[in-house]
Amino acid sequence: MGFRKLINSKKLLSFFAAFMLLGTNLLMAQTEAGGAAAGQAEAPKVDWTGVAYYVLIFFLICLGVAIVGKILKVYDLTLKMQGKKGLNWNTVMATICIVFLVAGLYGAYWSFTEQGSMTLPEAASEHGVKIDEMFTVTTILTMIVFFITQILLFTFLFRYRHSDKRRAHFLPHNNTIEKVWTIIPAIVLTILVVFGFFTWQKIMNSENLKEDINIDVTGHQFAWELRYPGKDGVLGPKDYTLVTGTNNLGVNFKKKASFDDLRVDTMYIPVNKSIRLNILAQDVIHSVYMPYFRVQLNAVPGLPTFFKFVPTITTAQMRSKLDDPKFEYTLYCNKICGGSHYNMQKVVRVVTEAEYQTWLSRQKPYLNDALRKELHFASANEQSNGSTNRLALNN
Amino acid sequence: MSTSAVHDHEVAHHDDHGHEHHHDQSFLSKYVFSMDHKMIAKQFLITGITMAVIAMILSILFRIQLAYPDKTFPLLTTLLGRFAPNGRISPDFYLALVTIHGTIMVFFVLTAGLSGTFANLLIPLQVGARDMASPFMNMLSYWFFFLASVIMLSSFFVQKGPASGGWTIYPPLSALPKAMPGSAEGMTLWLVSMVLFVASSLMGGINYVSTVLNMRTKGMDLWKMPLTIWALFLTAILGILAFPVLVAGVVLLIFDRSVGTSFYLSDIVLNGVQQPFEGGSPILFQHLFWFLGHPEVYIVIMPAMGISSEVMSVNSRKPIFGYHAMVYSLIGITVLSFIVWGHHMFVTGMNPFLGGVFMITTLIIAVPSAVKTFNWLATLWRGNIRFTPAMLFAIGMVSFFISGGLTGIFLGNAALDINLHDTYFVVAHFHLVMGSAAIFGMLAGVYHWFPKMFGRMMDEKLGYLHFWLTFICAYLVFFPMHFMGLDGVPRRYYAFTEFASMSKWLTINTFVTWAAIIAALSQFGFLYNFFVSMFKGEKATQNPWESNTLEWTTPVEHLHGNWPGEIPTVYRWPYDYSKPGAEEDYIPQTVPYSQTMSSNLPHDFEDNPAGLEALNKYASTLKANEQVK
């Protein structure tokens, strides 16, 4: 069946009409279907900008394109009938190239200003500032190359479009030019490599220092578990073979260091203190990702990793900077770990030292009554000596 | 480099094939189980296109989820059944969609569809061989690929759906069948499919390398090979060296899944139950995977580079600028691509010093890439540019390669990667540099060599429309994603609106989805053009683009053995376009220098003193004639 025949087909048109009239209820998007599912009396709201609406728009656009195509064809034929040359598609394409260049450059500029302003603000950690500096340098260098090469590419296309009156320039090679554009990128990349290498080494080769605040972050499907050391400042050892329903991190309570460890729901960290995240996973690979602090490291089962950073902007300060009273720093999972991967989060709150101590004093020990019972330890009341966790950490 | 064509073999081979086209062939032997490299190329292309359409539809499905995370589409339940209950794709199936989309596009379209098509079509035709070194193995290569494709797609019909751990299938997610629905039978099928796929790639690759090395026609020394052949040849070497490592990794993964070994597993507690695995490391799999995975990027992009170089030279009517530099940069990329894999693992917790080393090697690879880009620009400079659809797609490839390549410098820098890893910045980067650029290279090849494959021309106007819609939409889709990545939006999130800080990207995501839908719809214009032109397109002439390479010396009608009678001898490189003094603006490789004395240059005779002497004699005769005048 020819294309013309196909679009004139009564069956096809009837199908299309039926689709538009009857298909909408079935096919279009419905908003707030959850409400309907929950048994609310209200019928689901029908969104008329659903699939059928867009299909119609698409067909209209196609029609527009087809009409423009026909007009061009008629114009082309008219020219030929008048004994003139037909449409020069090389010129048409070259012109579109230059239009694309101008529109594209404006689009890139618009994108940088509009969407660029939606990206992360200044880093909220010490090393993050260094990363941002490197990012700025890399952006400037690469954008210079981007704009120059794209402008040359599309300008050449327009300037050297086909003409029967001239021949292309025979230029198979030029060693001097080739050396220049091999050496210049090599120098630029060497600069980036050297700065990048030393920045990376500084970020990653952190020694374990006494004053670091150690926090255990353990990922499992689909949550993060946080453990802080108690007053001894040391996290007790863990062993996956000790995992039970109550001791779901597998903390080894045969070791004294484990007794005072704390279990917390929200990650509180004091500003301007060195934080060491001990990152672990129980089942599959997860990834600790805190973009505002420029922190990311995978949580790998059987392979504990750690990341050290110093937060520099408190949550309150960031709320003020962003003019968003509800802002929270968040710890995401950045590695596929299963269906609920997209919602595996933990709130991170950067606070002052005093706020941190206050919060810490309210936290409950990991070794709770259920665990004591399971491990046949003496009960909490018997053990209690009335002390708090105020002296807990490495401050 | 010395001439190494095996001429004696060719003579014998020619005798074998000279009359083969007269043999009666059944439908099955001609179209299905064909051993003719040209038919196998078409089989790879059409299967690749089919897989691309499927992958495209999958991508539209998950883009709808991203654009309308809070809306329901009853049609989705009708189409997808249990995978989209209540009119919404389930989170698990969302991950399956991104996984299979990535797998199909990387392996089945951009590796097999691209290399399989053009290596099969062009290697024998452009080097002057009757067929591949082993036609039977070549046929097997296609059928293993086909089987792998069927198995991959069949995973949609198993109970828990296809694999869903991302196209990189990192263990433990892929090693523990109970870890998620996509870790069950679907993952087994993924692994089986991949083993067959690699077998196919190896059979193809060995054929390509042996054909290029052993079956070049008389005169076709390595420095006379078109850049397409260099690219396909080096790509085949990459595949032969890298793919077996993936198979090794996959086999160990199958052992971990099924036999209870612990190559990649240790200290696992799944759903509160301790698993009996000790001593393994998931990171080991990542090393093995990326040892293939990064060369794979170049397996995908190098054929596109070769095709674009060829198409740009032909349509600029200019020699490709810096042919030798282009070849050396391809070789440089090939070698370096094996020592950069660690940049995919900067944040896995591997030794930071090793990360630093990988950062250095990664950024070095940008140098040959930059050389290639500048050489393409120089090829266009002062050209006489014909805007065929193929040329436009080649230009698009260069544009995407620049845009996507530059963002690779960010990701190759380990310190910057800390914040960009696994965000939409990465998605934007690789979709531009190895998705769009490679697809555009492939489409440039399809439009350029369509007359060679089917003996007919494609419709140019539809080609123009196809190009501009796809080109503009690809930028509209991927450019904004960089900014989402810079805001720390993780990739593969089913519902990013769960986070207040990410909800601001909803409008952009809706915009991106509609741009993607328009791009996808415009591909149907291409499909219409492709299949209608195959039967009803204008009949092609023998050399419609006025090209220099050998494939255009074969008859329009295909015959097994490619050339009736002798295989032509090659005398010159493939890029003698617009040579001063020549009558036409192109001189095919088969034209001896003795026939083009007016356009010969001293360096044409670098290895041929007799020729140089003849040129000097010709010059002095001309001079004498002028003096007489």
Side-chain angles (χ1 to χ4, degrees):
Chain A
M1 188 189 286
F3 184 65
R4 195 171 295 162
K5 228 176 179 181
L6 181 80
I7 57 172
N8 287 331
S9 153
K10 282 178 187 168
K11 278 181 191 166
L12 192 80
L13 287 174
S14 313
F15 171 76
F16 184 63
F19 169 78
M20 295 306 295
L21 291 171
L22 306 173
T24 46
N25 278 338
L26 280 174
L27 305 179
M28 72 180 43
Q30 296 174 345
T31 51
E32 298 176 18
Q40 289 176 6
E42 245 177 82
K45 288 178 188 171
V46 174
D47 184 351
W48 287 94
T49 57
V51 174
Y53 172 81
Y54 287 109
V55 169
L56 182 64
I57 295 281
F58 171 71
F59 277 110
L60 285 175
I61 292 170
C62 286
L63 191 66
V65 171
I67 289 168
V68 172
K70 282 285 174 199
I71 291 170
L72 284 175
K73 198 170 181 180
V74 169
Y75 176 65
D76 197 26
L77 282 172
T78 316
L79 285 176
K80 282 178 184 165
M81 282 165 69
Q82 289 170 353
K84 294 175 185 171
K85 278 187 179 177
L87 259 183
N88 186 339
W89 283 99
N90 283 309
T91 307
V92 173
M93 286 300 117
T95 310
I96 298 177
C97 281
I98 209 77
V99 170
F100 173 81
L101 175 67
V102 175
L105 289 177
Y106 177 74
Y109 165 77
W110 179 82
S111 215
F112 271 97
T113 50
E114 289 291 315
Q115 290 148 38
S117 66
M118 292 159 70
T119 58
L120 289 173
E122 62 180 303
S125 65
E126 266 181 14
H127 78 276
V129 175
K130 287 177 197 153
I131 289 179
D132 284 5
E133 283 166 4
M134 171 146 286
F135 177 80
T136 307
V137 172
T138 312
T139 305
I140 291 168
L141 289 173
T142 50
M143 284 308 108
I144 290 170
V145 181
F146 172 78
F147 283 110
I148 290 176
T149 46
Q150 297 280 9
I151 289 170
L152 287 180
L153 177 65
F154 288 97
T155 311
F156 285 171
L157 292 177
F158 180 73
R159 171 71 184 79
Y160 301 114
R161 64 190 179 276
H162 179 77
S163 164
D164 292 332
K165 292 174 190 164
R166 67 182 176 83
R167 224 176 218 215
H169 179 55
F170 183 78
L171 181 67
H173 68 100
N174 181 314
N175 290 342
T176 313
I177 294 175
E178 287 173 64
K179 278 176 197 164
V180 168
W181 65 42
T182 307
I183 291 167
I184 290 178
I187 292 170
V188 172
L189 287 163
T190 306
I191 294 167
L192 291 176
V193 162
V194 170
F195 281 124
F197 185 80
F198 288 114
T199 309
W200 167 252
Q201 291 297 321
K202 271 184 201 164
I203 295 168
M204 300 305 286
N205 277 352
S206 318
E207 284 178 36
N208 192 7
L209 303 173
K210 271 191 175 177
E211 57 268 29
D212 293 341
I213 296 177
N214 272 265
I215 303 171
D216 246 18
V217 185
T218 306
H220 62 81
Q221 291 171 325
F222 295 98
W224 293 107
E225 304 282 350
L226 301 174
R227 187 170 63 119
Y228 280 56
K231 53 190 171 187
D232 61 355
V234 180
L235 284 161
K238 294 198 321 183
D239 183 348
Y240 85 104
T241 59
L242 301 175
V243 170
T244 62
T246 325
N247 182 12
N248 68 348
L249 288 182
V251 177
N252 184 351
F253 286 105
K254 286 182 180 168
K255 304 290 179 186
K256 265 192 172 178
S258 311
F259 292 174
D260 58 354
D261 289 354
L262 306 171
R263 178 169 215 166
V264 307
D265 287 329
T266 300
M267 185 190 287
Y268 269 71
I269 46 177
V271 69
N272 296 326
K273 291 279 177 163
S274 175
I275 311 294
R276 180 186 155 107
L277 300 179
N278 300 296
I279 300 165
L280 307 106
Q282 283 191 327
D283 38 31
V284 300
I285 297 179
H286 303 271
S287 188
V288 166
Y289 183 40
M290 301 193 291
Y292 282 85
F293 303 114
R294 316 298 193 248
V295 167
Q296 180 168 198
L297 202 63
N298 290 173
V300 186
L303 184 76
T305 53
F306 74 92
F307 198 108
K308 279 180 64 172
F309 71 104
V310 178
T312 52
I313 301 174
T314 64
T315 300
Q317 286 168 331
M318 191 56 97
R319 283 176 178 172
S320 162
K321 276 174 191 279
L322 298 177
D323 195 21
D324 177 4
K326 289 180 181 169
F327 171 83
E328 295 282 9
Y329 292 116
T330 313
L331 188 166
Y332 308 122
C333 175
N334 205 19
K335 195 66 83 183
I336 289 186
C337 60
S340 295
H341 154 69
Y342 68 95
N343 196 18
M344 194 171 145
Q345 53 178 303
K346 207 75 175 168
V347 170
V348 179
R349 211 161 277 167
V350 183
V351 293
T352 61
E353 177 67 25
E355 287 170 320
Y356 174 65
Q357 287 299 340
T358 310
W359 169 83
L360 202 59
S361 65
R362 291 183 194 141
Q363 301 314 303
K364 291 175 183 167
Y366 191 93
L367 187 59
N368 56 22
D369 288 344
L371 256 174
R372 284 173 189 281
K373 197 174 172 186
E374 183 177 296
L375 297 167
H376 305 294
F377 276 31
S379 77
N381 293 336
E382 290 165 32
Q383 284 280 313
S384 173
N385 55 12
S387 69
T388 68
N389 296 308
R390 267 192 77 77
L391 301 174
L393 284 191
N394 341 298
N395 35 37
Chain B
M1 246 175 251
S2 63
T3 307
S4 59
V6 184
H7 309 304
D8 295 344
H9 172 87
E10 272 310 309
V11 171
H13 200 69
H14 160 67
D15 292 341
D16 290 346
H17 287 84
H19 305 286
E20 202 155 317
H21 58 286
H22 297 303
H23 295 170
D24 287 334
Q25 285 184 297
S26 67
F27 180 85
L28 276 182
S29 62
K30 188 174 179 186
Y31 295 107
V32 183
F33 298 106
S34 173
M35 286 193 269
D36 183 353
H37 68 100
K38 301 181 290 296
M39 182 56 69
I40 294 170
K42 289 183 219 175
Q43 290 174 325
F44 267 106
L45 179 60
I46 290 170
T47 312
I49 287 175
T50 310
M51 294 299 276
V53 170
I54 293 167
M56 188 178 77
I57 291 168
L58 301 185
S59 71
I60 296 301
L61 286 174
F62 66 71
R63 281 299 331 171
I64 287 172
Q65 164 61 27
L66 291 170
Y68 303 105
D70 303 322
K71 286 188 179 178
T72 56
F73 296 87
L75 178 64
L76 289 178
T77 309
T78 313
L79 290 174
L80 303 171
R82 66 185 186 281
F83 296 131
N86 307 318
R88 283 186 70 181
I89 291 167
S90 71
D92 280 309
F93 191 62
Y94 175 87
L95 294 179
L97 288 174
V98 296
T99 301
I100 301 299
H101 165 78
T103 304
I104 289 180
M105 286 308 294
V106 171
F107 293 112
F108 292 81
V109 179
L110 294 173
T111 301
L114 181 51
S115 275
T117 302
F118 292 105
N120 267 301
L121 179 73
L122 296 179
I123 287 177
L125 289 177
Q126 286 197 335
V127 304
R130 297 284 183 200
D131 204 325
M132 284 290 177
S134 170
F136 180 74
M137 200 160 78
N138 206 23
M139 179 192 73
L140 276 187
S141 156
Y142 170 73
W143 284 106
F144 269 66
F145 163 59
F146 183 80
L147 199 57
S149 309
V150 170
I151 292 174
M152 183 61 70
L153 294 180
S154 68
S155 65
F156 279 99
F157 303 98
V158 296
Q159 193 185 5
K160 291 180 180 173
S164 61
W167 76 278
T168 52
I169 60 147
Y170 287 167
L173 206 54
S174 55
L176 302 167
K178 289 181 181 170
M180 64 189 292
S183 307
E185 302 91 341
M187 182 59 74
T188 306
L189 289 172
W190 194 100
L191 295 169
V192 171
S193 165
M194 203 44 65
V195 171
L196 291 171
F197 179 85
V198 174
S200 155
S201 295
L202 289 177
M203 284 189 281
I206 290 165
N207 245 327
Y208 309 151
V209 170
S210 33
T211 307
V212 170
L213 290 180
N214 298 317
M215 298 180 68
R216 301 189 308 278
T217 188
K218 190 178 174 187
M220 179 64 83
D221 66 45
L222 294 180
W223 285 124
K224 289 196 177 76
M225 291 200 308
L227 284 174
T228 34
I229 299 302
W230 268 110
L232 292 164
F233 171 60
L234 292 165
T235 300
I237 292 174
L238 269 181
I240 290 171
L241 296 177
F243 269 119
V245 179
L246 176 71
V247 168
V250 163
V251 169
L252 298 187
L253 187 53
I254 291 171
F255 284 174
D256 274 8
R257 284 173 65 81
S258 317
V259 192
T261 55
S262 299
F263 292 106
Y264 307 127
L265 301 171
S266 189
D267 300 13
I268 308 277
V269 179
L270 189 65
N271 302 322
V273 180
Q274 295 150 20
Q275 307 291 315
F277 299 109
E278 277 184 5
S281 167
I283 303 303
L284 169 64
F285 179 83
Q286 294 189 29
H287 282 292
L288 295 173
F289 180 87
W290 287 114
F291 187 82
L292 158 84
H294 199 79
E296 172 63 24
V297 172
Y298 293 100
I299 287 172
V300 161
I301 198 68
M302 287 208 313
M305 286 173 165
I307 289 168
S308 299
S309 302
E310 181 74 18
V311 169
M312 285 171 69
S313 178
V314 172
N315 291 295
S316 303
R317 313 310 291 163
K318 275 189 74 183
I320 190 83
F321 183 83
Y323 170 79
H324 284 75
M326 291 296 247
V327 174
Y328 284 128
S329 55
L330 280 174
I331 295 171
I333 288 171
T334 304
V335 174
L336 286 169
S337 70
F338 279 109
I339 48 171
V340 300
W341 82 85
H343 70 239
H344 295 273
M345 300 167 63
F346 285 145
V347 295
T348 55
M350 73 175 178
N351 188 312
F353 180 75
L354 193 57
V357 173
F358 278 121
M359 179 180 75
I360 294 168
T361 55
T362 300
L363 293 186
I364 288 173
I365 211 168
V367 176
S369 305
V371 169
K372 293 195 81 66
T373 304
F374 292 132
N375 282 1
W376 285 321
L377 290 176
T379 304
L380 295 174
W381 182 69
R382 294 183 68 184
N384 195 11
I385 299 166
R386 294 176 182 172
F387 288 93
T388 63
M391 180 64 171
L392 285 170
F393 277 100
I395 297 295
M397 182 268 168
V398 175
S399 177
F400 287 141
F401 186 73
I402 293 169
S403 307
L406 287 171
T407 50
I409 293 171
F410 291 80
L411 296 167
N413 190 324
L416 297 181
D417 189 60
I418 290 173
N419 211 46
L420 298 174
H421 192 90
D422 267 338
T423 65
Y424 271 93
F425 191 91
V426 181
V427 179
H429 157 70
F430 75 77
H431 273 91
L432 281 178
V433 81
M434 68 172 275
S436 306
I439 284 282
F440 270 48
M442 187 173 172
L443 287 168
V446 171
Y447 278 103
H448 190 73
W449 282 289
F450 189 87
K452 188 78 276 172
M453 279 193 270
F454 300 104
R456 291 178 184 269
M457 308 295 287
M458 287 180 82
D459 184 281
E460 276 208 338
K461 313 296 181 300
L462 277 177
Y464 292 149
L465 191 65
H466 176 216
F467 168 76
W468 283 111
L469 280 175
T470 315
F471 185 55
I472 292 169
C473 287
Y475 266 125
L476 293 180
V477 169
F478 300 119
F479 204 80
M481 284 189 192
H482 290 101
F483 298 100
M484 289 174 70
L486 290 173
D487 192 40
V489 180
R491 65 197 282 207
R492 296 166 177 154
Y493 262 27
Y494 169 72
F496 60 95
T497 43
E498 293 291 315
F499 299 90
S501 62
M502 294 181 207
S503 296
K504 63 183 181 237
W505 293 103
L506 185 59
T507 315
I508 301 293
N509 256 330
T510 313
F511 174 80
V512 164
T513 295
W514 280 103
I517 288 172
I518 295 169
L521 290 172
S522 64
Q523 304 317 304
F524 289 101
F526 163 72
L527 291 177
Y528 173 81
N529 193 0
F530 183 87
F531 287 107
V532 170
S533 302
M534 200 188 288
F535 301 106
K536 294 190 173 178
E538 186 190 332
K539 283 196 173 169
T541 54
Q542 191 181 29
N543 189 359
W545 314 121
E546 297 175 313
S547 176
N548 289 342
T549 39
L550 276 185
E551 74 273 27
W552 303 106
T553 61
T554 59
V556 176
E557 294 295 327
H558 286 178
L559 54 97
H560 197 175
N562 297 335
W563 286 269
E566 289 287 322
I567 299 179
T569 303
V570 163
Y571 297 96
R572 59 180 75 224
W573 76 324
Y575 300 110
D576 266 346
Y577 291 105
S578 301
K579 218 173 172 190
E583 283 177 25
E584 302 280 349
D585 69 352
Y586 70 108
I587 311 173
Q589 285 187 280
T590 49
V591 175
Y593 284 106
S594 58
Q595 290 180 22
T596 58
M597 287 309 281
S598 59
S599 70
N600 292 344
L601 297 167
H603 79 257
D604 292 333
F605 300 105
E606 272 169 5
D607 303 323
N608 182 0
L612 192 59
E613 200 180 315
L615 178 66
N616 289 333
K617 204 172 168 184
Y618 175 76
S620 43
T621 314
L622 276 186
K623 206 174 177 183
N625 287 345
E626 272 182 24
Q627 280 172 352
V628 169
K629 281 179 189 173

